[in-house]
Amino acid sequence: MSTKPTVLFVCVHNAGRSQMAAGWLRHLAGDTVEVRSAGSEPADRINPVAVEAMREVGIDITANTPRKLDWDTAESSDVLITMGCGDACPVFPGKRYLDWQLDDPAGQDIEAVRPIRDEIRRRVEHLLTELPVAAL
């Protein structure tokens, strides 16, 4: 049984914000945190502009695929972070629940996605200060 905290990032399509957040957390936390992402209505593929924005900072999310949010994944996560889902992202009782209001990168060019990427990094860095993880 793992003692690592588990963080689940959720957005509607699991193609932009949640994938970038998962990429940042994996990059910054290494294997000290179990990182998951999912969507209430997953897209067919990750937003290529989100992939490009993350590649610019040395993080490769090209192998990731959007996944459907399911009860078991949410139930077994310690922290659930939703991103602009509104009512489409359910609240799971008994879990630490954060709602990060972030612009949606869908349909945006790289100039618009960079500030979203950078804000996600800032929030992930703050989240890491609150998780029970060993320093890298």
Side-chain angles (χ1 to χ4, degrees):
M1 182 174 195
S2 174
T3 59
K4 295 190 281 189
T6 303
V7 177
L8 172 61
F9 295 102
V10 183
C11 66
V12 175
H13 297 121
N14 190 222
R17 294 166 287 193
S18 58
Q19 292 288 350
M20 288 191 290
W24 275 121
L25 187 55
R26 284 185 189 103
H27 177 76
L28 296 169
D31 65 357
T32 64
V33 176
E34 184 176 337
V35 182
R36 302 170 174 175
S37 70
S40 56
E41 297 175 25
D44 294 331
R45 64 187 178 116
I46 295 180
N47 179 334
V49 181
V51 170
E52 180 183 350
M54 294 301 285
R55 185 178 296 126
E56 288 181 349
V57 294
I59 300 172
D60 183 4
I61 61 171
T62 57
N64 299 1
T65 56
R67 290 189 165 76
K68 177 80 173 154
L69 175 64
D70 63 66
W71 180 262
D72 291 338
T73 300
E75 182 64 22
S76 63
S77 297
D78 299 309
V79 180
L80 286 85
I81 301 174
T82 59
M83 303 175 171
C85 299
D87 294 337
C89 289
V91 175
F92 296 91
K95 300 293 175 181
R96 180 169 178 208
Y97 177 84
L98 302 169
D99 185 37
W100 290 356
Q101 294 297 315
L102 297 160
D103 291 336
D104 189 347
Q108 304 292 328
D109 65 17
I110 191 68
E111 295 296 324
V113 174
R114 285 180 184 129
I116 299 167
R117 173 201 65 202
D118 296 343
E119 176 61 15
I120 291 170
R121 178 185 180 140
R122 186 189 70 73
R123 292 179 189 213
V124 167
E125 287 173 336
H126 180 75
L127 175 67
L128 271 171
T129 68
E130 299 175 337
L131 292 176
V133 295
L136 294 177

